[in-house]
Amino acid sequence: MKKILFLLLPFSVLSQTSLYENPDFDAIAENHQIIAMVPFKTQVKLRPKQMKDMDEEQMAKLERSEGESIQTAMYSWFLKRKKRGKMQRIRVQDPRTTNAKLLKLGIDYDNILEHTPMELAKILEVDAVISGDFETNKPMSEGASVALGLLIGFWGSTNSAIVNMSIHNAEDGILLWNYNKKVRGSLGSSPEDLVNVLMRKASRRLAYTKND
């Protein structure tokens, strides 16, 4: 592991990494004009001692906040690439628009897994939808992390986080791209830091940003 990566970013990357790229992704992406990302389903795994000071409603609210934070961070990552001229063809739907469209049809964080990526993409009127799972033992967003610390007195480093991200085609629902990575970091780690580390090398294999 190169030390320079640890010095530049609050996350260091563990060895567990896997990436799948559909062999037709480049060709399919040529016809894409707009993409969207939905909130990531999140699981915050606390120790039993920490859990005793939280009820189910508090935990559900915490995990929902984390999932939406990852969604927003991913949106920001794509916007930065677009600003640099790396994504001139592709537009990225604002998460507020995405979530509002879903909510109008009764789809929210709690029941989003009851709908296929193909269904979600058609509702959102996009060419591809980005979704994923996020697992951590401490919240990444600053607000949630501080709130949790005040609530149960939990401070310290984030031992690990696992992110599993997928891109599905709207027309037929096929999987275009999947990336699974395990990372670890400190209390100051944020969703933006996590996404930057996640996408640092993965973007080279992503049809939308391969020239990044």
Side-chain angles (χ1 to χ4, degrees):
M1 185 180 296
K2 296 181 179 180
K3 291 184 178 179
I4 188 171
L5 178 60
F6 179 79
L7 292 173
L8 291 176
L9 296 166
F11 281 97
S12 56
V13 183
L14 299 179
S15 59
Q16 293 91 331
T17 301
S18 63
L19 187 148
Y20 164 78
E21 180 184 8
N22 188 304
D24 297 323
F25 190 10
D26 286 351
I28 293 173
E30 284 293 325
N31 297 316
H32 287 182
Q33 296 181 355
I34 181 170
I35 61 176
M37 55 282 304
V38 298
F40 277 44
K41 293 299 292 186
T42 302
Q43 185 175 14
V44 179
K45 290 190 172 182
L46 302 179
R47 300 185 183 93
K49 183 191 297 187
Q50 298 159 352
M51 283 296 298
K52 69 181 180 64
D53 294 318
M54 293 191 71
D55 57 33
E56 291 184 4
E57 183 178 351
Q58 290 171 321
M59 177 57 72
K61 185 176 180 180
L62 177 68
E63 292 180 337
R64 179 181 186 132
S65 176
E66 287 299 290
E68 292 176 346
S69 293
I70 297 297
Q71 177 194 25
T72 301
M74 188 65 67
Y75 172 67
S76 298
W77 184 89
F78 276 105
L79 283 189
K80 290 176 182 177
R81 270 67 197 166
K82 188 171 180 63
K83 186 176 181 180
R84 295 175 188 172
K86 305 297 184 180
M87 293 177 56
Q88 295 181 359
R89 290 188 306 102
I90 301 296
R91 291 183 293 122
V92 188
Q93 190 172 93
D94 189 311
R96 291 171 296 183
T97 299
T98 295
N99 296 344
K101 284 185 174 183
L102 294 176
L103 192 57
K104 285 181 180 179
L105 294 179
I107 303 173
D108 60 15
Y109 176 85
D110 296 322
N111 62 17
I112 197 168
L113 292 183
E114 297 175 12
H115 303 270
T116 68
M118 183 177 175
E119 292 172 339
L120 296 175
K122 291 186 179 301
I123 291 170
L124 297 173
E125 299 177 296
V126 297
D127 299 306
V129 64
I130 299 174
S131 60
D133 304 306
F134 173 51
E135 179 183 308
T136 182
N137 69 326
K138 187 187 74 62
M140 292 292 168
S141 60
E142 182 178 357
S145 182
V146 171
L148 186 60
L150 293 174
L151 180 65
I152 64 176
F154 178 56
W155 306 97
S157 63
T158 297
N159 293 327
S160 66
I162 301 173
V163 179
N164 184 51
M165 171 182 160
S166 297
I167 301 177
H168 288 82
N169 194 39
E171 184 177 0
D172 49 21
I174 65 170
L175 178 64
L176 298 175
W177 194 80
N178 176 264
Y179 192 56
N180 186 292
K181 180 181 283 293
K182 186 173 183 179
V183 295
R184 63 186 178 191
S186 63
L187 179 63
S189 299
S190 69
E192 289 75 17
D193 296 325
L194 176 64
V195 169
N196 284 337
V197 170
L198 175 70
M199 300 301 292
R200 172 173 285 266
K201 291 185 177 181
S203 62
R204 301 171 189 172
R205 299 283 299 278
L206 184 60
Y208 306 127
T209 61
K210 278 191 174 181
N211 294 324
D212 198 350

